[in-house]
């Protein structure tokens, strides 16, 4: 079964009175949704520390989660320090992901689509952060009968040793079935060789849970969750890049869309030919050959729907790459309908900004600045490739747009467009960098949540989400300097 096969009317939705219910984690959870994700604290830690999983316990939220929320790893950066090389104790960011996994209900399913996950490590440098997620997965499989499936990128991002370490982690001491781990090489949704599209990758970063133990008085039946993040699951990325993680709770339509996406990835990982008819039949998607929609290369299975709406009232859409040649850049397109008198604040937090896509974005940002918007851009000081080119930097400087590089490398990919006066606005976030491959060839997703398009039931959650992303941007801006462009 690809989805949950049910839909809800979200208008007028309310989630009941405060009631405490005991679940298998022995935590008391309130039926009324919290205003933020309420983590189980670490009883032996310092203020702000959250509990991690073990073979005997899998702590999760202490209240029903809001419709959507975001958290960052900046607290760990501030308290533990960049890199934190000499301390093998896992960071709270990783323990938070584990607490999401620990929310899986008995006999539910967890699907993980990820660029890379690390395991084991070395004696001196163990992968103690991803081990939190592995431990949580082991627990819910063994104690609750949860099914876990993974699709990772099988290219050079994970070495042969890295793959062996993952295989070893899924050895006789782990209840996770080895056969449920699949690898996509050169991306999942295109079948050309790496010589044709060398930059095509499975760049996804999501975890879906078909049902959760967090109580909900609104409806009976499954209450799914989607975890979307800008960070891969590794010690290095957790501790060396500022990153965000978001939870979308109880959105049936969004869950179904991500499951279909995962089924297609899994089909293409197993069948090296990955025919268009086969992937559509296996996943329930309606992908088309990008060549038929103006693309330069055949055998790239694109999603002809630019934005998929999700459950009514949520103000949420999701987009998947690869996209057709005719599709506009996700980020630049957000600027088309901005009225600077209404939405005068524009903030960008991006890993890198360098190629032809970035120049289109820069021209769009220049139009907004000319219209009176306050536009500020934050980039990472080391973006793997060029952070920003001289041509793009000059275009933005001529428009009076400030481009700063964070003091600590960042791995976020989001845009905020909102009011100068309050937290009304929209957030575009996900996995895609501002690159041609991120739009046309690689496997990516981008979420859009707009507080002005929400029903009253979701309005406060959407405003809080916008405010938290803005606070995260302001935190990343601390100590920032002018970016040094490259040729």
């Amino acid at each position: 079964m690809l989805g949950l096969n049910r839909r809800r009317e979200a208008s007028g939705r309310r989630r009941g009175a405060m009631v405490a219910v005991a679940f298998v984690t022995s935590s008391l959870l309130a039926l009324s949704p919290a205003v933020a994700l309420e983590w189980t604290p670490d009883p032996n830690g310092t203020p702000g520390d959250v509990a991690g999983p073990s073979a005997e316990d899998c702590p999760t939220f202490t209240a029903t989660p809001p419709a959507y929320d975001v958290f960052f790893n900046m607290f760990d950066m501030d308290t533990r320090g960049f890199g934190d090389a000499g301390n093998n104790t896992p960071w709270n960011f990783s323990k938070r992901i584990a607490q999401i996994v620990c929310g899986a209900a008995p006999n539910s399913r967890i699907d993980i689509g990820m660029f890379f996950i690390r395991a084991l490590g070395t004696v001196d440098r163990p992968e103690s952060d991803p081990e939190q997620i592995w431990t949580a997965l082991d627990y819910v499989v063994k104690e609750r009968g949860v099914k876990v499936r993974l699709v990772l990128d099988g290219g050079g991002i994970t070495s042969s040793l890295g793959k062996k370490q993952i295989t070893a982690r899924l050895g006789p001491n782990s209840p996770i079935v080895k056969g449920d781990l699949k690898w996509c090489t050169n991306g999942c949704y295109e079948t050309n060789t790496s010589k044709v599209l060398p930059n095509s990758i499975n760049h996804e970063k999501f975890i879906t849970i078909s049902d959760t133990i967090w109580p909900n008085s609104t409806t009976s039946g499954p209450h799914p969750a989607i975890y979307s993040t800008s960070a891969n699951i590794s010690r290095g990325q957790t501790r060396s890049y500022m990153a965000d993680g978001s939870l979308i709770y109880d959105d049936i339509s969004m869950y179904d869309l991500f499951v279909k996406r995962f089924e297609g990835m899994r089909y293409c990982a197993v069948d090296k030919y990955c025919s268009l008819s086969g992937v559509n039949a296996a996943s329930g998607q309606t992908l088309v050959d990008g060549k038929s929609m103006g693309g330069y290369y055949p055998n790239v299975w694109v999603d002809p729907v630019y934005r998929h709406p999700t459950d009514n009232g949520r103000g949420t859409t999701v987009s998947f790459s690869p996209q057709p040649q005719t599709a506009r850049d996700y980020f630049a397109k957000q600027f088309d309908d901005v009225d600077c008198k209404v939405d005068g604040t524009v903030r960008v937090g991006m890993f890198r900004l360098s190629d032809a896509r970035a120049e289109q974005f820069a021209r769009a940002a220049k139009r907004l600045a000319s219209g009176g918007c306050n536009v500020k851009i934050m980039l990472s000081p080391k973006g793997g490739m060029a952070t920003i080119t001289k041509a793009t930097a000059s275009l933005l400087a001529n428009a009076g747009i400030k481009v700063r590089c964070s003091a600590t490398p960042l791995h976020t990919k989001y845009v905020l467009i909102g009011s100068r006066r309050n937290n009304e606005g929209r957030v575009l976030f996900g996995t895609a960098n501002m690159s041609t491959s991120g739009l046309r060839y690689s496997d990516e997703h981008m979420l859009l949540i707009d507080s002005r398009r929400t029903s009253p039931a979701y309005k406060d959650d959407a405003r809080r989400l916008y405010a938290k992303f803005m606070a995260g941007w302001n935190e990343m801006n601390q100590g920032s300097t002018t970016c040094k462009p490259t040729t």
Side-chain angles (χ1 to χ4, degrees):
M1 182 175 66
L2 294 178
L4 300 180
N5 297 323
R6 66 186 183 89
R7 292 294 184 270
R8 301 183 187 143
E9 289 300 323
S11 299
R13 168 181 167 142
R14 293 287 101 185
R15 286 187 181 132
M18 295 292 290
V19 181
V21 180
F23 271 81
V24 292
T25 58
S26 75
S27 298
L28 292 178
L29 304 183
L31 282 176
S32 178
V35 298
L37 299 175
E38 296 191 3
W39 314 96
T40 296
D42 182 351
N44 301 314
T46 59
D49 286 344
V50 303
S54 68
E56 294 75 32
D57 190 29
C58 205
T60 188
F61 305 146
T62 59
T64 305
Y68 13 68
D69 203 356
V70 63
F71 56 97
F72 294 82
N73 64 347
M74 270 86 91
F75 171 80
D76 295 312
M77 289 273 185
D78 291 341
T79 57
R80 298 277 293 270
F82 172 75
D84 195 20
N87 191 339
N88 293 330
T89 304
W91 276 26
N92 285 291
F93 188 79
S94 298
K95 290 189 285 185
R96 288 186 171 98
I97 302 171
Q99 288 205 13
I100 291 172
V101 170
C102 289
N107 302 313
S108 62
R109 192 179 71 205
I110 295 177
D111 291 332
I112 302 175
M114 195 72 57
F115 187 30
F116 64 86
I117 301 176
R118 300 294 185 237
L120 298 183
T122 65
V123 173
D124 294 332
R125 188 185 179 279
E127 288 287 346
S128 48
D129 290 295
E131 181 58 29
Q132 295 295 292
I133 291 86
W134 289 119
T135 299
L137 290 169
D138 282 347
Y139 182 95
V140 297
V141 171
K142 182 179 179 181
E143 301 298 330
R144 301 183 196 159
V146 173
K147 175 79 168 177
V148 173
R149 305 185 302 172
L150 305 94
V151 176
L152 308 180
D153 186 82
I157 193 64
T158 300
S159 66
S160 58
L161 174 60
K163 292 177 181 177
K164 290 179 180 177
Q165 288 177 320
I166 292 174
T167 300
R169 179 59 183 77
L170 299 179
N173 294 326
S174 174
I176 302 171
V177 178
K178 286 185 183 179
D180 287 326
L181 167 63
K182 307 297 181 184
W183 302 88
C184 278
T185 302
N186 204 44
C188 296
Y189 282 105
E190 64 103 353
T191 62
N192 296 287
T193 67
S194 59
K195 293 181 179 179
V196 177
L197 293 171
N199 296 321
S200 178
I201 55 176
N202 164 22
H203 198 239
E204 282 288 15
K205 300 171 186 63
F206 68 80
I207 300 173
T208 63
I209 307 175
S210 64
D211 192 16
T212 55
I213 63 173
W214 311 313
N216 187 307
S217 64
T218 305
T219 60
S220 60
H223 298 286
I226 303 104
Y227 173 68
S228 168
T229 181
S230 64
N232 298 288
I233 299 176
S234 77
R235 172 173 173 154
Q237 192 147 110
T238 298
R239 302 184 181 203
S240 301
Y241 291 89
M242 291 185 285
D244 58 90
S246 299
L247 184 75
I248 296 87
Y249 173 63
D250 221 19
D251 189 327
I252 303 300
S253 300
M254 182 181 290
Y255 174 79
D256 286 349
L257 288 165
F258 270 94
V259 167
K260 289 178 179 179
R261 198 69 187 168
F262 182 87
E263 295 290 356
M265 294 167 63
R266 182 177 168 84
Y267 174 84
C268 291
V270 173
D271 187 336
K272 65 179 181 179
Y273 299 106
C274 185
S275 69
L276 180 60
S277 60
V279 70
N280 281 338
S283 67
Q285 298 179 96
T286 55
L287 307 178
V288 299
D289 191 331
K291 185 75 172 179
S292 69
M293 298 187 70
Y296 298 120
Y297 302 98
N299 305 319
V300 179
W301 312 144
V302 303
D303 187 352
V305 179
Y306 186 65
R307 289 199 188 106
H308 297 269
T310 70
D311 281 0
N312 292 339
R314 284 180 171 257
T316 306
T317 63
V318 58
S319 302
F320 296 105
S321 294
Q323 281 282 312
Q325 191 68 30
T326 53
R328 290 278 309 283
D329 176 83
Y330 296 126
F331 304 99
K333 187 172 176 59
Q334 285 301 308
F335 294 166
D336 287 351
D337 60 349
V338 173
D339 181 348
C340 291
K341 295 180 180 178
V342 178
D343 288 330
T345 299
V346 178
R347 298 290 181 267
V348 179
M350 192 66 55
F351 180 50
R352 56 185 292 265
L353 182 68
S354 64
D355 64 4
R357 301 254 68 79
E359 292 182 17
Q360 293 181 24
F361 175 83
R363 288 193 291 270
K366 181 179 179 179
R367 289 197 306 271
L368 288 188
S370 300
C373 282
N374 183 300
V375 182
K376 294 182 180 180
I377 299 174
M378 177 69 55
L379 304 178
S380 180
K382 59 175 186 178
M385 293 175 277
T387 293
I388 186 170
T389 63
K390 289 183 178 179
T392 303
S394 177
L395 179 64
L396 292 167
N398 291 337
I401 298 174
K402 295 181 179 180
V403 181
R404 308 283 289 178
C405 274
S406 56
T408 299
L410 61 85
H411 207 255
T412 60
K413 305 105 170 40
Y414 70 82
V415 171
L416 300 168
I417 302 173
S419 170
R420 299 176 192 265
R421 301 178 182 86
N422 53 43
N423 293 323
E424 290 283 9
R426 68 186 99 157
V427 187
L428 178 70
F429 61 100
T431 66
N433 291 303
M434 201 163 295
S435 65
T436 298
S437 62
L439 182 67
R440 306 283 183 226
Y441 311 126
S442 293
D443 310 323
E444 314 267 11
H445 76 267
M446 294 300 296
L447 299 169
L448 176 65
I449 298 178
D450 189 343
S451 69
R452 292 194 177 92
R453 296 181 180 273
T454 59
S455 68
Y458 298 102
K459 177 97 36 203
D460 287 345
D461 286 351
R463 287 170 173 165
R464 277 189 289 266
L465 183 78
Y466 178 89
K468 288 185 177 182
F469 268 107
M470 183 62 75
W473 191 95
N474 290 332
E475 179 74 13
M476 292 188 291
N477 191 34
Q478 300 300 310
S480 65
T481 57
T482 301
C483 292
K484 296 179 180 179
T486 59
T487 56

